[in-house]
Amino acid sequence: MGDDKEWFCNKVEELQRSLYLLSYSILRNNEDACDAVQEAIWRAYENLDTLRDQDKLKPWLLKILSNVSLGMLRSRRGELSLDEFPDEPVSDASVDINTRMSLWDAVEKLDPAYREVVVLYYYEQFSVKEISRIMDIRPDTVKKRLSRSREKLKNLLDNSRDKETGNI
Amino acid sequence: MNSFDRKLRRLAKEEYPEIPGKFSDAVNQVLSALPEQKRRRPSFWRKPALITLQVFAVLAAAILILPNLSPGIAHALGDIPILGDFIRVITIRNYSYEDEYHKLDAQIPSVDMGGDAAAEINDDVDKLTETIISKFQEDMTSIGDSGHTYLSIDYEVVTDDQDWFTLKLQVYQGSGSSSVTYKYYHIDKSTGNIIELSDLFENDDYIDTISSYILEQMIAEMEEDPQKSYWVDSQYEDWNFSTISPDQNFYFNSSGEMVIVFDEYEVAPGYMGTPEFAIPFITRDSLGI
């Protein structure tokens, strides 16, 4: 079991960035993301014997984290489903119009349900099928969300580029 | 859309966001707090932050050495008057340390009363607090200037009357995220004995009775206020509240009602704090205290 702990700790350290990005993409608050990740790590460790394939630790841990983060978000906002959450108000305050908007700046402007698929697909490079398992939603829904996310991201990044080049 | 898709993948790789330092601290804390042997979480010291129960087991009688800290005797005589049957509690040691990254403020109580009960409580408080402070010092050394740590230990005399005495030990830990843990000590003055929850009842029926009532209260609170959340129907069954434990933290409120206290993360997410449930049908009167 000691070896298991060492293996688990090493793996979790390697996955830190992914854990942060996913949790933050759902909660958009550093403190909450820290709490959610701590909770998820603890839960994962406690249930480590249910992980049959060690190579699947990353998607398994991200799935636990996604659930924990959504649970926190729901209790923070009431029992709405993720799709029902209102759009975050779009603000350009954090982006200097003289510099190109980074992809992450644009991702932050998406709705929570879109942010999560974008993080898993583009940043973590999971397949649609894997994302559907992590998020517990149908592959079609993942595709739909990805497609809408792409459109929104394209608009956001294009507008930013236009502003940068003065083509408004 | 394919070329834009490729562009997004490239940008995601090139512009992967930075992780805040505090986040790495939080991850490292929880990893260092994981038990060597995977097991159910201990009923006391449940928070996966800095301290875990297994540390108690390895506690040797080693003398606490805290270079750079300033242990001193602080007799808080002015705070607690000596009144006939009342039990005096003094701050036997006071540790304080502060630099740019780390802060420690610990008031260690001592129950100033003859007899085995006081000696046992004082011994337990000493071991517990020494362990926590030692761990703080280890963390402080290993974290250095790459993160922040905070530890505060304090106490409160919750009840002290002719028949009953309750001391509450409070531990606040902060680093990345914070945690609060309490431990209650009780003395039945009519017998001079230390009392745990199970000592108050003749058989084990109280466990189901109190647990069922608390479960109802949890559900009712969540229905009334959607912001509240207790683990009652989590998909992780191990996490769901089932029953209180025979040594569950409790105290009697000013109305004499028993109040059951849970540690942070014991029955609810961290933002719910340390949930408390008054049990109106179990009172000092009904228990003959």
Side-chain angles (χ1 to χ4, degrees):
Chain A
M1 199 63 226
D3 290 345
D4 275 0
K5 184 187 169 187
E6 195 182 337
W7 172 81
F8 179 78
C9 290
N10 289 338
K11 283 287 174 192
V12 169
E13 276 176 22
E14 285 170 19
L15 296 174
Q16 273 190 57
R17 296 197 323 170
S18 309
L19 296 173
Y20 171 74
L21 212 57
L22 180 69
S23 190
Y24 182 85
S25 76
I26 297 169
L27 292 160
R28 286 193 71 183
N29 174 303
N30 281 333
E31 290 291 322
D32 289 348
C34 284
D35 275 355
V37 168
Q38 285 193 323
E39 201 75 62
I41 291 172
W42 196 272
R43 282 191 194 190
Y45 187 66
E46 291 221 310
N47 293 288
L48 200 52
D49 46 8
T50 64
L51 176 68
R52 288 180 194 161
D53 181 354
Q54 292 200 331
D55 292 341
K56 299 286 182 198
L57 176 73
K58 183 176 178 180
W60 181 71
L61 185 51
L62 289 177
K63 184 183 175 75
I64 294 173
L65 179 61
S66 172
N67 283 332
V68 170
S69 305
L70 285 172
M72 283 178 70
L73 190 67
R74 287 199 182 97
S75 49
R76 219 169 57 185
R77 300 192 185 185
E79 289 299 320
L80 292 173
S81 83
L82 195 57
D83 299 323
E84 292 169 310
F85 288 141
D87 279 2
E88 297 287 340
V90 175
S91 159
D92 284 334
S94 62
V95 182
D96 183 346
I97 59 165
N98 293 317
T99 57
R100 183 184 63 78
M101 180 190 269
S102 74
L103 175 57
W104 185 245
D105 291 331
V107 172
E108 285 216 80
K109 293 183 183 306
L110 300 175
D111 293 349
Y114 298 131
R115 284 201 298 269
E116 194 179 354
V117 288
V118 166
V119 162
L120 291 171
Y121 189 77
Y122 291 107
Y123 288 88
E124 302 305 330
Q125 307 197 350
F126 283 111
S127 68
V128 167
K129 199 172 164 187
E130 287 169 322
I131 295 171
S132 83
R133 286 192 191 131
I134 291 171
M135 293 181 66
D136 257 341
I137 54 178
R138 295 206 320 271
D140 281 354
T141 312
V142 176
K143 283 182 192 164
K144 213 176 289 174
R145 288 186 188 177
L146 276 173
S147 163
R148 290 209 58 193
S149 301
R150 271 188 215 105
E151 283 170 30
K152 291 193 174 199
L153 289 172
K154 191 164 190 341
N155 285 337
L156 286 162
L157 294 173
D158 284 352
N159 283 343
S160 152
R161 191 192 58 200
D162 288 346
K163 279 182 186 171
E164 189 188 6
T165 54
N167 298 331
I168 302 175
Chain B
M1 196 53 88
N2 278 344
S3 67
F4 183 63
D5 212 48
R6 280 197 296 278
K7 179 183 172 182
L8 288 179
R9 281 190 182 265
R10 179 178 53 79
L11 286 175
K13 212 170 181 178
E14 289 172 1
E15 301 175 2
Y16 204 101
E18 290 288 316
I19 312 178
K22 279 175 74 176
F23 179 81
S24 293
D25 291 347
V27 170
N28 289 333
Q29 279 161 28
V30 74
L31 291 180
S32 64
L34 293 177
E36 287 299 327
Q37 297 293 322
K38 188 172 76 65
R39 56 174 184 171
R40 289 177 68 87
R41 295 200 284 182
S43 62
F44 179 60
W45 253 229
R46 196 168 282 255
K47 171 71 168 115
L50 288 172
I51 308 295
T52 53
L53 188 62
Q54 85 271 17
V55 184
F56 294 89
V58 300
L59 176 77
I63 297 168
L64 180 66
I65 301 166
L66 291 170
N68 301 324
L69 303 181
S70 55
I73 306 293
H75 294 279
L77 296 178
D79 297 341
I80 298 129
I82 307 164
L83 288 174
D85 288 327
F86 292 80
I87 296 174
R88 196 161 58 120
V89 178
I90 59 171
T91 301
I92 191 78
R93 282 187 300 283
N94 178 4
Y95 296 97
S96 63
Y97 174 83
E98 184 169 6
D99 64 23
E100 198 180 339
Y101 299 96
H102 311 286
K103 187 174 180 184
L104 165 68
D105 182 10
Q107 315 286 327
I108 313 300
S110 176
V111 179
D112 192 9
M113 178 187 95
D116 293 344
E120 202 176 313
I121 290 175
N122 291 340
D123 191 43
D124 196 68
V125 167
D126 280 350
K127 285 179 177 172
L128 196 60
T129 53
E130 283 178 11
T131 307
I132 294 166
I133 293 170
S134 297
K135 184 70 168 59
F136 170 81
Q137 195 193 22
E138 279 173 25
D139 288 340
M140 197 172 81
T141 309
S142 65
I143 290 170
D145 59 3
S146 64
H148 293 263
T149 51
Y150 173 70
L151 172 63
S152 163
I153 302 175
D154 201 355
Y155 64 90
E156 180 188 345
V157 176
V158 178
T159 309
D160 188 17
D161 56 30
Q162 294 292 328
D163 306 304
W164 195 259
F165 169 80
T166 298
L167 173 70
K168 177 188 185 185
L169 188 70
Q170 309 167 136
V171 180
Y172 304 90
Q173 298 168 79
S175 183
S177 68
S178 59
S179 77
V180 186
T181 316
Y182 302 135
K183 185 165 186 183
Y184 289 78
Y185 298 94
H186 311 278
I187 296 176
D188 179 347
K189 290 189 182 176
S190 66
T191 61
N193 290 335
I194 293 177
I195 300 293
E196 289 192 342
L197 184 63
S198 56
D199 299 323
L200 293 171
F201 303 94
E202 285 178 6
N203 57 45
D204 290 343
D205 292 350
Y206 73 96
I207 290 186
D208 284 342
T209 309
I210 295 175
S211 303
S212 309
Y213 178 76
I214 289 174
L215 189 58
E216 282 171 21
Q217 295 305 305
M218 287 175 172
I219 292 168
E221 281 185 28
M222 287 192 289
E223 280 173 2
E224 195 178 316
D225 181 357
Q227 300 295 320
K228 290 194 172 181
S229 172
Y230 296 102
W231 289 319
V232 294
D233 57 358
S234 162
Q235 59 180 301
Y236 301 97
E237 286 181 10
D238 278 0
W239 284 68
N240 286 334
F241 170 67
S242 56
T243 60
I244 55 168
S245 61
D247 60 351
Q248 190 76 44
N249 269 330
F250 76 97
Y251 67 92
F252 293 108
N253 65 19
S254 56
S255 310
E257 293 170 338
M258 177 179 281
V259 178
I260 297 289
V261 183
F262 293 98
D263 284 339
E264 200 173 16
Y265 290 93
E266 189 173 356
V267 294
Y271 72 87
M272 290 290 287
T274 54
E276 296 191 357
F277 295 89
I279 315 295
F281 51 86
I282 299 178
T283 63
R284 288 183 61 174
D285 283 344
S286 73
L287 294 166
I289 298 167

